[in-house]
Amino acid sequence: MSSSPQDRKAKAAAAAPKANGSRVVIVAVVTVLVLALAMIGATWAYRSSQSSVDQAARSATTPPNANADKTGIIIDNGKAKADAMKLDLYFDYQCPICKQFEDVFGGEIEKMAAAGTALVTYRDMTFLDNNLRNDSSARAGNAAACADVVGAYKGYHDAIFANQPATEGQGYTDDQLLNTFAKDAGITGDKLTTFQQCVKDGSMKNFVTGTDAAASKAGVTGTPTLKVNGTTVPLQRLAGVTSAQFPALMEQIAKDPKAATPAASPAASQ
Amino acid sequence: MSRVAPYVSLLARLVLGAVIIVAGALKVTNLPGSAQAVRAYQILPYDAANLVGYLLPGLEIILGLLLVLGVFTRWAAATVSVLLLAFVGGIVSAWSRGLSIDCGCFGGGGTIAPEQTNYLGEILRDAGLLALGLWLVVRPRSLWSVDGWLAPDRAPGATTSTTSSTGTSGPTSTSDSTTDSSDKEIAR
């Protein structure tokens, strides 16, 4: 640039950048502003969603058999023996694999709860509402927790999964939640009135918001997730396991968490 | 080569820009879902993953618009390339840890059945997009770009070419000057 042959060129070029320079500044400022606004907006949206979730969880009315930290509902509350293993089941009422899981293992888990060999906590998640763009997971969760108010949680939970629509995303109707499943769970008379009022009021919505958030915070990113004494049992480990074999497998994993890894299974060669 | 390059760059801009605008637009209407998709990778801690899920769709749309309009093409393409590298890294990581998730690249995401995963397809697609991004980092000049309006003398087809770069595009000077010299060679 300092060399004399290029002086003329440099002078000619110097005129143009002056005009373009202001254009560049304008475009740069606009770009940075738009970026900054978008990032601030997104951060604000996240903050406010988190605080509303926290608020909901804190102020939640809890069903009678909720665990101490309001993150789930205990099945056959009080029956678990002192040395019982802890079984935590994370599910979403709209999740098809959860239904498959329920169909095979649900009965066994509830038997273990009834026998007191396991402290079973059902932890409802509602993230499929986001994916499926409806609110059936949250509404079903609310209704199930309302069933706990009248002592029929287990039966109601089973009724929802038994009637899960074949097409994922079709969801549950209010009539199903208020009447059909209640009938299946044996809720009648005054209890039915109490139950239906609870469902209509959405009394347990905040509780369900809280169980979902707590599960996400605990690192559960998919359903169904089964934890035995805190150890996640990969679904691959349960492939091919029959309901009859299930309780023994749970005992085995409770004694030795390594038994939860699919490689520990002799059937899993890959 | 350099006569064709502005056309290739235009095409690269439009394709890459459009794809990430679509990717961002499909997610921006469902930010909690986007956060869920990022959490499913099980890489970042809870809050960080959520924040990425909330920030990413808007960022993608803006970067896509910059590319389509040809605004600061090199910088936009470089940023998109870095993002794509991160996406590929995330997918490879999820795959190698035996997770079965959808990449959530175009909405959706989260855990899916193992037989539904398409890690290789997702990686190849991102690698193709990354190639477009890297091309634009090397050859950001293209037809019909705001960049051309910002620096007309350096736009393709301009008769004068200067060896000096404008002050605002410092880092571009090295390869621009090589491009310029090759332009001169062809233009004599």
Side-chain angles (χ1 to χ4, degrees):
Chain A
M1 264 184 266
S2 53
S3 60
S4 53
Q6 294 191 349
D7 265 5
R8 241 195 305 175
K9 224 181 220 178
K11 265 181 200 164
K18 208 178 185 183
N20 299 343
S22 60
R23 288 181 185 175
V24 171
V25 169
I26 291 167
V27 175
V29 166
V30 169
T31 306
V32 169
L33 270 180
V34 169
L35 268 172
L37 278 178
M39 299 301 102
I40 292 168
T43 309
W44 177 83
Y46 173 55
R47 287 270 167 79
S48 64
S49 81
Q50 284 307 99
S51 68
S52 72
V53 165
D54 289 348
Q55 177 69 30
R58 259 200 310 275
S59 64
T61 312
T62 50
N65 293 303
N67 59 0
D69 54 1
K70 306 183 190 179
T71 56
I73 295 177
I74 298 171
I75 305 299
D76 285 318
N77 198 3
K79 282 198 184 166
K81 294 169 188 160
D83 60 344
M85 70 176 95
K86 287 196 187 88
L87 282 188
D88 295 289
L89 182 63
Y90 299 81
F91 58 88
D92 186 308
Y93 282 120
Q94 291 195 89
C95 143
I97 314 176
C98 298
K99 177 183 165 52
Q100 291 172 21
F101 182 95
E102 278 290 327
D103 289 348
V104 183
F105 304 122
E108 294 303 320
I109 291 177
E110 286 171 6
K111 269 189 229 162
M112 290 166 79
T117 54
L119 174 62
V120 177
T121 310
Y122 279 6
R123 298 169 184 272
D124 188 14
M125 297 184 77
T126 56
F127 66 93
L128 284 180
D129 281 350
N130 286 330
N131 294 6
L132 301 169
R133 314 310 295 268
N134 64 24
D135 58 1
S136 279
S137 295
R139 280 166 49 247
N142 173 60
C146 285
D148 190 47
V149 174
V150 295
Y153 177 67
K154 203 165 67 174
Y156 195 90
H157 170 93
D158 294 348
I160 298 174
F161 274 120
N163 293 286
Q164 191 185 67
T167 313
E168 189 182 11
Q170 212 171 305
Y172 302 102
T173 65
D174 282 335
D175 180 51
Q176 280 181 306
L177 295 175
L178 285 168
N179 303 308
T180 320
F181 302 160
K183 197 180 158 204
D184 291 352
I187 305 171
T188 52
D190 285 352
K191 285 185 172 180
L192 185 62
T193 315
T194 308
F195 164 79
Q196 289 179 333
Q197 196 57 48
C198 173
V199 173
K200 283 177 191 157
D201 293 347
S203 307
M204 294 296 158
K205 279 218 159 115
N206 284 345
F207 170 73
V208 174
T209 302
T211 61
D212 178 70
S216 292
K217 278 181 193 164
V220 177
T221 57
T223 53
T225 291
L226 177 66
K227 287 187 182 177
V228 181
N229 288 341
T231 304
T232 301
V233 183
L235 289 181
Q236 294 97 304
R237 182 69 186 86
L238 295 168
V241 174
T242 65
S243 53
Q245 294 165 334
F246 183 79
L249 177 63
M250 294 300 104
E251 294 286 353
Q252 195 189 338
I253 295 171
K255 278 187 201 124
D256 177 16
K258 279 182 199 148
T261 55
S265 144
S269 53
Q270 286 175 326
Chain B
M1 185 63 174
S2 54
R3 260 184 211 173
V4 184
Y7 294 93
V8 176
S9 294
L10 174 66
L11 197 68
R13 252 176 54 207
L14 294 180
V15 171
L16 183 59
V19 168
I20 65 165
I21 287 174
V22 169
L26 287 172
K27 287 181 288 201
V28 81
T29 52
N30 183 9
L31 293 176
S34 173
Q36 162 76 18
V38 178
R39 288 204 305 271
Y41 283 85
Q42 298 176 20
I43 293 174
L44 296 169
Y46 180 74
D47 273 312
N50 284 334
L51 202 53
V52 169
Y54 271 74
L55 291 174
L56 200 56
L59 186 62
E60 285 177 326
I61 291 172
I62 292 169
L63 287 171
L65 285 174
L66 291 181
L67 284 178
V68 166
L69 298 174
V71 183
F72 306 130
T73 306
R74 172 167 281 159
W75 289 104
T79 311
V80 169
S81 300
V82 169
L83 282 180
L84 284 165
L85 273 176
F87 296 163
V88 170
I91 297 168
V92 168
S93 158
W95 195 2
S96 65
R97 281 176 294 149
L99 301 181
S100 51
I101 62 171
D102 179 277
C103 75
C105 308
F106 297 89
T111 306
I112 53 175
E115 63 272 15
Q116 286 178 303
T117 55
N118 180 23
Y119 291 121
L120 189 61
E122 288 166 349
I123 290 169
L124 289 177
R125 182 190 56 214
D126 283 0
L129 294 174
L130 182 59
L132 294 180
L134 293 177
W135 168 273
L136 286 172
V137 171
V138 179
R139 297 200 179 251
R141 302 189 311 160
S142 60
L143 297 180
W144 307 324
S145 66
V146 172
D147 284 342
W149 178 72
L150 292 177
D153 56 324
R154 287 164 67 235
T159 44
T160 58
S161 74
T162 62
T163 46
S164 69
S165 63
T166 54
T168 46
S169 53
T172 68
S173 60
T174 348
S175 87
D176 263 6
S177 54
T178 44
T179 322
D180 283 349
S181 57
S182 65
D183 276 350
K184 256 187 269 178
E185 258 173 59
I186 288 166
R188 242 170 297 119

